[in-house]
Amino acid sequence: MAINNSNPRHQPCYVLHDHGMPCVVWFEDAVAYYGVPTVVFDLHVLVSDIETAAQVLIQNGWTLVPQEKGKIGNANVDYAQRRLTPPSQDSHDAELSKPHPHTSIPPPPSTKPPGPTTTVLLPAADWNFNLEEYAPENTKTLVTTIFPPIAGLLDALIDSLLDCPSNNDILQTHIALQIAYLYDWAPVLQDRAFAERLMYEHRQYHFDVLSGMSHGTVPFISHQRNVREALRQRTHELQECSALDNKALFSGEREAQLLASMHNPFPEKEEDWKEEDGWEVYNHLEKIEGVANGYTKPGDLEDINRQGA
C-alpha cells in the first residue's frame, strides 16, 4: 500500500496516483480546499474509470460495498459510482493508542487529520470534469495533484447543477450549496474578471451571481439553463445582469440594496422621507411593477405606504 505523509483521509488518491491513475477529490473535500469551512463526510473521488480504480483500491486493502442505488449525500441518484470502505486500522497504530501499562492516564487526543473514510468513486465525465489534462503523459500539470483547479471545479459544478434532473430536489440542492459556498468563501470569485477563466457558457452565471441574484433557487436554475443554451447558440450577449427586471430572481434584501443605490426621483420630498418610511417602502416593493425603474409618480408612494400600514 502506498505511504504518503499528506492527509491520510486522501490516501485512496495517493494509491491511485501510485498506479498512474489521475483523480481529484470532489464535493466537500474540493470546496474545503478553497477555504469553505464545511464538514466532510464520504470522500468523493473523480476518476476516468470507476471499475479499474475500484480494483486498484481492492488490491490495496479496500472493500467494495454492494449497493442497489447510488447515493450523493442524502440524494438517491442514477449516476454510476463504486463505494468502498478503507482497510482496517493498522494493529500497531491501535496498540500505540492504548494507555501506558504503568499509568492510567489516556493518551492525548490525536492532532493528525482523520484517517481514510468511505470512498465513493465517480466517473469524471458524469460530473463534467475533464481529467485528461491530469494524465501522466501531460507534462503541463502534476499527476500528483488531487485538488481540482477552482475554475475547473466551478465550471463542472455549474454544468452538473444545470444538468441535474429537475425532479431530484435533494441532489440539486446539494450541488447548489457547493457553488454557493464557493462564492461565499473564495475571494477570487468576487472578481468579475474571474469570468475569463470560466467556460464561455458559464460566464453569465458568474455575472448574475455577482449582480445579487438569489442563486440556487428553482427560478434561478431554470433561468440559467435557458441562458446557457442561448450562449451555446450564440443568441445571447454577455451583460452585467441577464434579468435585472425579474423580481423572482432577487431576494427582498437585494432589491432594497438596489433601490437604495438609485437616484431619488423626488429630491424635493427628501426631507419628508424618514428612515422608517424608507424601509416601509422597501418592504412593499413587490407591489410595484418594474422595481428597478423606481417610482413613476408620488401617488404610487402614498398608495404603497397606506397598503403597508
Side-chain angles (χ1 to χ4, degrees), residues 244-298:
L244 187 60
D245 59 345
N246 189 337
K247 294 182 292 182
L249 299 177
F250 290 86
S251 67
E253 179 182 357
R254 181 54 180 168
E255 289 175 355
Q257 292 174 348
L258 286 171
L259 280 177
S261 67
M262 293 178 181
H263 176 68
N264 178 9
F266 313 114
E268 70 279 3
K269 297 284 186 178
E270 188 168 0
E271 66 276 7
D272 299 329
W273 283 33
K274 298 180 181 179
E275 183 176 356
E276 58 267 27
D277 292 334
W279 284 112
E280 185 72 16
V281 171
Y282 297 150
N283 287 338
H284 298 280
L285 290 176
E286 68 276 7
K287 301 180 187 298
I288 298 179
E289 293 298 325
V291 171
N293 295 324
Y295 306 111
T296 58
K297 57 183 181 297

Side-chain angles (χ1 to χ4, degrees), residues 81 104 111 118 131 135 157 182 191 202 235 247 264 270 291:
Q81 62 178 240
S104 60
T111 57
T118 299
L131 267 174
L157 287 175
L182 282 173
D191 186 356
H202 299 153
T235 59
K247 294 182 292 182
N264 178 9
E270 188 168 0
V291 171

